[in-house]
Amino acid sequence: DGGITQSPKYLFRKEGQNVTLSCEQNLNHDAMYWYRQDPGQGLRLIYYSQIVNDFQKGDIAEGYSVSREKKESFPLTVTSAQKNPTAFYLCASSIDSAEAFFGQGTRLTVV
Amino acid sequence: RKEVEQDPGPFNVPEGATVAFNCTYSNSASQSFFWYRQDCRKEPKLLMSVYSSGNEDGRFTAQLNRASQYISLLIRDSKLSDSATYLCVVNLYGGTSYGKLTFGQGTILTVHP
């Protein structure tokens, strides 16, 4: 089945550790996105990529890093510089200006 | 000013009511517009795209006003199952933010018996 897969579904991190969230899609979409959602809030854009080996900062990129070495993959690293990383992280992909499809999300908790 | 703004609500309406949500966007270079629905603790899912001529899908009608830079969603004959958060989405295609997909903060709708 075609779709977008995020893993893991739940992730626990100790303070000061870097963690990487996986996002893979087999929809042949060029564009991929990472969002963060806090309880009761909307989605805030962290990073986005329109093409392999290129990506742009979104509205809240500080403390995060990404790579886009393959069209299918857009992993997000939450670094120790992110002071409040506990949140629901959503990855999405799209073709050009068409609608975006989302993965099921990763819930990250700092313990 | 936020790039995309919505009234967060919440909207509490009885079954059968008609409810309307509005959303404004700040960048005139915005090219694509959507309404998404998000259920509690789930990922957002596309409800409908919004076209310049307006479009309708069953009980849902979406409209775009480029001159005033707002989009709207009208839900007629509300059902209990319509209870969710509705997210306005704008895709920017211009300048240095090419392809930036921005969400509003969402409007919470609760439909009660």
Side-chain angles (χ1 to χ4, degrees):
Chain A
D1 286 358
I4 183 165
T5 302
Q6 290 186 243
S7 62
K9 190 171 182 179
Y10 298 96
L11 185 59
F12 297 88
R13 189 195 94 170
K14 292 182 180 179
E15 285 193 30
Q17 283 184 336
N18 291 357
V19 289
T20 297
L21 281 58
S22 171
C23 179
E24 303 278 334
Q25 54 99 359
N26 60 4
L27 300 168
N28 200 32
H29 288 172
D30 287 310
M32 296 188 75
Y33 310 84
W34 273 107
Y35 294 89
R36 169 183 172 140
Q37 188 173 36
D38 294 285
Q41 304 294 315
L43 278 68
R44 292 186 290 166
L45 183 62
I46 304 172
Y47 271 97
Y48 61 109
S49 168
Q50 294 295 307
I51 197 169
V52 174
N53 293 323
D54 190 36
F55 49 82
Q56 290 75 41
K57 292 182 179 180
D59 300 313
I60 55 164
E62 186 175 350
Y64 300 97
S65 66
V66 293
S67 63
R68 187 85 189 276
E69 297 177 1
K70 298 186 300 181
K71 187 175 186 178
E72 302 79 19
S73 179
F74 192 39
L76 173 74
T77 296
V78 184
T79 74
S80 57
Q82 171 49 240
K83 298 306 178 189
N84 185 22
T86 295
F88 185 38
Y89 290 88
L90 287 156
C91 179
S93 69
S94 71
I95 295 178
D96 292 332
S97 58
E99 68 270 20
F101 294 87
F102 282 84
Q104 292 188 315
T106 293
R107 295 194 181 276
L108 173 63
T109 303
V110 173
V111 296
Chain B
R1 183 183 174 189
K2 290 183 179 178
E3 291 185 12
V4 181
E5 291 201 68
Q6 289 181 250
D7 179 350
F11 285 69
N12 293 293
V13 302
E15 276 186 289
T18 295
V19 62
F21 306 137
N22 290 322
C23 169
T24 59
Y25 60 96
S26 60
N27 196 319
S28 60
S30 302
Q31 295 296 326
S32 303
F33 309 89
F34 310 95
W35 282 102
Y36 277 71
R37 170 191 170 128
Q38 186 176 26
D39 293 298
C40 188
R41 299 180 68 83
K42 298 286 189 180
E43 74 275 20
K45 293 187 177 178
L46 179 71
L47 179 65
M48 57 196 306
S49 302
V50 187
Y51 305 116
S52 297
S53 56
N55 48 304
E56 185 174 311
D57 182 5
R59 297 182 294 108
F60 299 85
T61 300
Q63 292 194 318
L64 166 64
N65 185 319
R66 286 190 183 271
S68 301
Q69 295 183 200
Y70 79 82
I71 68 174
S72 64
L73 176 68
L74 183 75
I75 305 176
R76 292 181 299 278
D77 189 23
S78 299
K79 310 292 184 191
L80 296 176
S81 57
D82 292 334
S83 297
T85 298
Y86 290 83
L87 298 157
C88 165
V89 185
V90 173
N91 201 336
L92 185 63
Y93 269 74
T96 57
S97 298
Y98 184 87
K100 185 180 182 185
L101 191 65
T102 302
F103 283 70
Q105 66 266 48
T107 299
I108 299 171
L109 172 66
T110 301
V111 181
H112 57 82

